[in-house]
Amino acid sequence: MSKILVSKRVYPEAVEFLRKDFEVDYEGTDAGLTTEALIERAKGCDAIVSQLTDKLNAEILSQLEGIKVIANVAVGFDNIDVPAATERGILVTNTPGVLTETTADFAFTLLMATARRIPEGHAFVHSGEWKTWLIDLLAGQDIHGATLGLFGLGRIGAAVARRAKGFGMRILYNDAQPAPAALEHELDARFVSKDELLRDSDFVSLHVPLTPETRHFIGAAELARMKPTAILINTARGPVVDEVALADALEKRLIWAAGLDVFEREPQVEAKLLSLQNVVLAPHIASASVATRRRMSMMAAENAAAALKGERPANLLNPDAWTA
């Protein structure tokens, strides 16, 4: 019987599903496994159901003898060296699609909370400092009719754009390639250069994968090009933004505010960000609805099971490893 290592706590139905056909070594803790423990526990296993906290680089992959598939419980997979896995014939899968709408909901939640200063208002009421109505008390930025700039018009970026249309927002986007004309027409979205998007947008929302090309995609130079009233939203990956440069820009009020769900060195956060009022911080929970996280757990389990049964997984990231 094939054996699967589940490296960290997932929704229980995913483990129950796997136990029907496989031996399962389940690390049902929130801490998960250290790298050393993961390598040791993977011995004798045929698959790993991994999470973003499992950093599976080429060196670690070389020590995972016998592993046929790594099923990541996430749409992002920058925690896994996919080319190195491909060289070793290890299939790698992710969980796309299922979290699109939930993540888009949260990106727009961050946009609204940041623009209208909801966390500041919440804290102000709880503090007991609220004494009277004032003409400019916690005045923020309008969302309706504003310009939204999207870096990345894939599944999630397009879903955010659909929400923005309901607010009458003008939509600009930039991506590696222009989107299909039909999608541009549906969203009334216009492809522009990176500079034009930064210059003209009231809100800039990031929806790009983390690659060598997108690391620090938003840094000091980009922040300087944005409007002083602009708001940056990041629900993509933390290293897409230079966190030190962002903290500096927020402190100097070079931009109005930021809403962040991801950070460069999670769970560490740039200390200066923690001291600023014009940034809304969330602990990487954009896809964290009960239904979505449950489905992500099941999808990863289904991917692992399919591979071990000799079936091509539905969400295979490296088809070259399948055909090799």
Side-chain angles (χ1 to χ4, degrees):
M1 179 181 288
S2 296
K3 184 177 180 180
I4 299 175
L5 171 63
V6 180
S7 68
K8 194 173 183 177
R9 187 170 66 86
V10 294
Y11 275 83
E13 49 264 53
V15 179
E16 293 166 8
F17 168 81
L18 290 172
R19 282 179 171 153
K20 292 176 182 177
D21 296 300
F22 308 99
E23 181 183 350
V24 178
D25 179 3
Y26 179 36
E27 179 59 33
T29 66
D30 291 331
L33 296 170
T34 64
T35 297
E36 295 74 16
L38 185 145
I39 293 170
E40 183 62 29
R41 293 267 288 272
K43 291 177 181 178
C45 291
D46 303 281
I48 298 173
V49 174
S50 63
Q51 295 193 34
L52 288 174
T53 47
D54 299 319
K55 306 304 180 184
L56 303 174
N57 59 29
E59 180 183 354
I60 294 166
L61 290 171
S62 70
Q63 301 176 66
L64 300 179
E65 296 183 9
I67 295 297
K68 299 179 178 67
V69 57
I70 297 171
N72 212 35
V73 187
V75 65
F77 48 90
D78 46 277
N79 58 310
I80 303 170
D81 188 331
V82 177
T86 304
E87 288 181 10
R88 300 187 63 80
I90 300 173
L91 305 179
V92 181
T93 67
N94 66 341
T95 60
V98 65
L99 51 69
T100 296
E101 299 299 332
T102 300
T103 302
D105 281 350
F106 195 79
F108 219 82
T109 298
L110 272 183
L111 185 154
M112 297 179 72
T114 307
R116 298 304 304 273
R117 303 174 67 177
I118 298 300
E120 289 179 80
H122 178 83
F124 188 65
V125 173
H126 275 269
S127 72
E129 295 178 42
W130 184 31
K131 304 302 181 185
T132 186
W133 186 91
L134 297 173
I135 192 67
D136 59 353
L137 178 62
L138 293 172
Q141 299 293 334
D142 278 330
I143 299 163
H144 67 275
T147 297
L148 172 65
L150 298 164
F151 280 114
L153 199 66
R155 292 185 185 93
I156 297 171
V160 172
R162 292 185 184 97
R163 286 153 177 76
K165 284 190 68 178
F167 284 77
M169 299 182 84
R170 171 183 176 232
I171 300 167
L172 307 177
Y173 81 97
N174 176 269
D175 212 330
Q177 298 291 334
L183 182 61
E184 287 190 337
H185 179 74
E186 176 202 343
L187 302 175
D188 195 18
R190 184 165 67 89
F191 181 87
V192 296
S193 68
K194 181 178 182 179
D195 281 352
E196 184 175 350
L197 188 150
L198 291 167
R199 184 185 68 237
D200 292 351
S201 297
D202 299 300
F203 299 87
V204 173
S205 191
L206 304 175
H207 304 284
V208 297
L210 177 60
T211 66
E213 292 73 29
T214 61
R215 186 173 293 275
H216 284 193
F217 183 76
I218 300 295
E222 288 76 17
L223 292 161
R225 294 188 188 107
M226 292 171 64
K227 297 178 180 181
T229 53
I231 292 171
L232 178 70
I233 304 296
N234 188 12
T235 54
R237 284 291 181 265
V240 171
V241 176
D242 182 335
E243 216 164 277
V244 173
L246 175 60
D248 186 61
L250 290 168
E251 183 179 46
K252 295 177 179 176
R253 297 283 176 168
L254 300 180
I255 65 172
W256 178 269
L260 308 175
D261 183 52
V262 288
F263 304 90
E264 278 200 76
R265 297 170 297 279
E266 294 180 12
Q268 297 178 40
V269 179
E270 175 64 28
K272 189 184 292 185
L273 288 175
L274 297 172
S275 68
L276 298 172
Q277 293 298 311
N278 57 337
V279 59
V280 177
L281 308 174
H284 203 147
I285 56 171
S287 66
S289 75
V290 172
T292 293
R293 288 286 174 86
R294 177 176 283 128
R295 184 64 192 125
M296 288 167 65
S297 298
M298 278 298 298
M299 185 178 288
E302 290 163 359
N303 285 333
L308 294 185
K309 291 178 179 180
E311 303 166 3
R312 178 173 171 142
N315 304 294
L316 184 60
L317 291 168
N318 55 343
D320 288 347
W322 174 256
T323 59

